[in-house]
Amino acid sequence: MAKRETGTAAALIPPKPTLPMLREIARGCQACDLYKTGTQTVFGEGGPRARVFMVGEQPGNDEDLAGKPFVGPAGKLLDRALDRAGVDRRQVYVTNVVKHFKWEPKGKRRIHAKPSAGEIRACLPWLEAELSLVKPDVIVALGATAAQTLLGRAFRVSQQRGQLVSSPYGMVLATVHPSSILRVPDDEARHAEMDRLVTDLKPVAAYLRRAAA
Ligand code: URA
Ligand code: SF4
């Protein structure tokens, strides 16, 4: 049982954590108010030695219900993009900056709401602990929330997408969030955006091939 911590999950991280340990403790996290609206904590998933570490913003509706990251429409699009880029999905750990679903009601639906700076700060110790355990070769930031959390508020995905840049966390490549592609109404424009995502992810595949050689 985790006790309530106001403002940061830092105090919940044990001195010598393992991923299964963190996942279990994070289940009881109440470090920000999002635990009240989310169904459950959606912790990261993937092998402890994954070379690629992908970070989204927060779980969506489907992830909130399943308890797993990137299992809904955005995750399926991401899987297709990884496959087309030649990134082996088994080499990928997936997680989010914020581990609870933040939403607003719209009719009977729960629609995504943007996490606040305070919620991001509160949840960051979980992401940092995941990073320090997985020790990936490449971090992929999906969308502005993840990119700015890892690379600073001045980072602009539109200007530096697809480039490997160094950060205190290691090498980071930022690109758009797969959900943003799902929202493009025009078929042709959506396919073009998907092609750009695949192009952005290709350096990751190349990096993995070089590392394996
Ligand atoms: N969007 C995210 O940012 N993360 C998920 O896990 C699913 C959708
Ligand atoms: Fe804890 Fe993060 Fe959930 Fe807030 S969003 S309660 S910090 S796991």
Side-chain angles (χ1 to χ4, degrees):
M1 274 296 292
K3 58 180 184 308
R4 178 163 169 82
E5 298 291 341
T6 41
T8 171
L12 299 177
I13 316 275
K16 287 194 179 149
T18 61
L19 286 172
M21 215 188 259
L22 290 177
R23 171 189 302 276
E24 184 55 33
I25 302 169
R27 280 158 50 91
C29 183
Q30 301 185 350
C32 78
D33 283 345
L34 295 185
Y35 80 93
K36 295 178 187 166
T37 41
T39 305
Q40 57 192 318
T41 305
V42 179
F43 204 70
E45 271 203 354
R49 292 280 163 267
R51 320 294 304 271
V52 180
F53 187 104
M54 300 201 134
V55 191
E57 181 188 73
Q58 59 165 333
N61 183 67
D62 294 4
E63 289 78 15
D64 172 74
L65 298 174
K68 292 166 180 286
F70 285 106
V71 294
K76 295 204 169 75
L77 185 143
L78 179 63
D79 286 348
R80 286 199 300 279
L82 287 170
D83 187 52
R84 280 182 53 193
V87 178
D88 182 355
R89 187 67 179 74
R90 292 166 303 183
Q91 302 251 33
V92 181
Y93 184 94
V94 285
T95 192
N96 288 295
V97 173
V98 168
K99 265 79 172 158
H100 270 101
F101 180 37
K102 183 174 184 180
W103 57 276
E104 287 162 0
K106 188 178 182 188
K108 286 187 178 164
R109 292 176 57 221
R110 304 186 301 168
I111 58 159
H112 164 276
K114 217 173 153 46
S116 71
E119 288 153 357
I120 291 171
R121 210 176 317 113
C123 212
L124 193 57
W126 294 121
L127 179 67
E128 292 182 333
E130 288 174 289
L131 278 167
S132 64
L133 288 166
V134 178
K135 298 186 189 71
D137 293 335
V138 193
I139 303 165
V140 178
L142 299 168
T145 298
Q148 294 187 345
T149 300
L150 297 167
L151 298 166
R153 296 295 294 270
F155 187 89
R156 292 287 170 271
V157 173
S158 55
Q159 284 162 29
Q160 280 183 276
R161 60 183 291 180
Q163 297 174 20
L164 275 165
V165 293
S166 64
S167 83
Y169 300 103
M171 295 304 287
V172 179
L173 183 148
T175 184
V176 296
H177 195 286
S179 304
S180 71
I181 300 178
L182 292 170
R183 286 195 298 268
V184 177
D186 174 67
D187 279 356
E188 206 173 313
R190 194 172 56 255
H191 289 142
E193 273 306 312
M194 179 65 169
D195 290 347
R196 273 193 86 186
L197 174 62
V198 172
T199 301
D200 285 352
L201 292 172
K202 281 190 176 158
V204 178
Y207 195 93
L208 286 175
R209 275 196 302 275
R210 277 199 305 279

